[in-house]
Amino acid sequence: MKPSLRWRHIVPGLVLVFTLGQASATDLAEIKARGEIRHLGINYANFVTGAGDGFDVELVQGFARYIGVAYKLVPTDFYNVIRDLLGKDVVRQGDQVNLQGDFPVKGDIIATGFTVLPWRAKVLDYSAPTFPSQVLLVARADSADRPIQGSGTLAGDIAQTRAILGRKSLLVMERTCLDPANYGLKGKGIDLRAYTKSTNLNEMVPALLKGDAEFTLLDVPDVILDLQKWSGQIKVIGPISEEQQLAAAFPKTSPELRRAFDAYLVGIKADGRYDKLVDKYYPGIRRYFPAFFGGSG
């Protein structure tokens, strides 16, 4: 089952409090003087493949050429990526977001299938959107639960999906785009099972297939790849979130670097380089998000 094209809306905002200042960071001039941009990337869903390429790897490599510096990939994970950018650890406490501690700053830009979430926007500056997404509920193919029929509205589809989930077991990974707190799933009687064996989101489907839970959450770019990789073994039940956007992220102290990236993004969308990257790493995704991709595909 393909995700419905109706599952596209803006994610409702969350009220958060930013209580601590950010560590100083380099901006465009300092990066040009250094002669290198450090790209924080996570091996995930073809954004960073782990083989030296990926959608976001090539995107930032092109940006490095655009600003005239060398490129360096700095591997990280979803638990540490913001700390590696800001030199501060992010701690969420209810509706508050705190930056704590002092750590080495390892990178200048996050680009790794990174979801724009309200709490992240309190501590980071985002580029213009680089890719669309949405979080879906996924089950094993042999599950007795069937995909929703569709209600005609996104809100109705989400309600149907949550009704199927009910109080059953759900495999999640906190501090990522699959954190149940992002979608109001905590305190609802759901048997939430946090995956803690690693911070690699690519392991969610294998854990689901092994029976760690009845359902898991996946976003659309990952689902498209996993439906091919695990053909006949998983199925999409329905949407948990509204449409989301992915973007590059920067320290709030790097406004010129972010503006340069946005200008670069405009250029590669105009000359076709962006489209070539999309088709290379996510063939067929245009049909899921025709509005984002201009109705092509």
Side-chain angles (χ1 to χ4, degrees):
M1 175 185 173
K2 295 183 176 66
S4 167
L5 296 181
R6 294 189 300 273
W7 305 344
R8 298 182 288 108
H9 288 275
I10 299 173
V11 178
L14 300 177
V15 178
L16 302 169
V17 179
F18 177 36
T19 59
L20 294 180
Q22 292 189 36
S24 61
T26 54
D27 204 351
L28 180 61
E30 289 81 8
I31 289 171
K32 285 186 173 182
R34 185 205 301 151
E36 178 184 76
I37 187 166
R38 300 166 300 175
H39 170 204
L40 291 166
I42 301 164
N43 183 6
Y44 175 59
N46 271 9
F47 292 107
V48 178
T49 67
D53 62 356
F55 177 86
D56 277 316
V57 170
E58 293 199 40
L59 194 67
V60 182
Q61 286 174 337
F63 179 54
R65 292 191 292 270
Y66 175 78
I67 61 175
V69 299
Y71 168 87
K72 180 180 180 181
L73 176 63
V74 180
T76 184
D77 58 54
F78 280 106
Y79 279 31
N80 294 304
V81 65
I82 297 179
R83 185 179 74 181
D84 290 343
L85 182 74
L86 302 182
K88 298 284 185 181
D89 202 14
V90 179
V91 179
R92 293 178 68 187
Q93 298 174 327
D95 288 338
Q96 293 188 349
V97 177
N98 300 311
L99 294 180
Q100 299 178 358
D102 291 292
F103 303 91
V105 173
K106 299 181 180 179
D108 308 300
I109 176 176
I110 298 171
T112 189
F114 202 60
T115 306
V116 177
L117 296 172
W119 69 267
R120 287 175 174 170
K122 289 292 181 177
V123 297
L124 302 169
D125 272 350
Y126 282 105
S127 70
T130 58
F131 214 79
S133 189
Q134 184 178 38
V135 173
L136 309 174
L137 185 68
V138 175
R140 293 184 296 276
D142 60 4
S143 169
D145 293 296
R146 297 182 178 182
I148 65 167
Q149 293 300 307
S151 66
T153 68
L154 175 62
D157 290 349
I158 292 174
Q160 286 185 10
T161 304
R162 292 190 180 212
I164 289 175
L165 176 57
R167 295 179 177 270
K168 297 177 182 178
S169 57
L170 177 66
L171 189 66
V172 299
M173 188 179 292
E174 296 178 342
R175 300 180 65 179
T176 72
C177 63
L178 307 185
D179 191 326
N182 296 333
Y183 313 109
L185 298 178
K186 287 192 170 182
K188 304 297 183 181
I190 303 168
D191 179 10
L192 298 174
R193 300 182 182 180
Y195 187 77
T196 59
K197 294 178 182 178
S198 80
T199 58
N200 187 349
L201 288 175
N202 294 331
E203 296 181 11
M204 299 298 277
V205 169
L208 175 73
L209 294 176
K210 287 190 297 183
D212 286 7
E214 296 168 273
F215 299 99
T216 192
L217 302 178
L218 295 175
D219 63 14
V220 171
D222 203 14
V223 163
I224 289 174
L225 300 176
D226 285 340
L227 285 173
Q228 299 171 1
K229 182 176 182 180
W230 307 100
S231 178
Q233 298 183 65
I234 61 173
K235 60 185 176 184
V236 174
I237 300 299
I240 286 293
S241 82
E242 301 180 353
E243 183 178 333
Q244 299 174 321
Q245 294 178 333
L246 311 181
F250 304 85
K252 289 185 178 291
T253 49
S254 302
E256 294 302 322
L257 185 65
R258 177 185 54 78
R259 281 192 280 269
F261 185 87
D262 282 344
Y264 157 74
L265 195 58
V266 169
I268 65 171
K269 286 187 175 181
D271 66 19
R273 284 178 288 167
Y274 174 84
D275 287 333
K276 289 181 180 178
L277 285 180
V278 172
D279 293 338
K280 177 179 180 179
Y281 289 105
Y282 304 97
I285 198 170
R286 296 174 186 275
R287 74 172 71 97
Y288 297 91
F289 300 103
F292 186 92
F293 292 113
S296 60

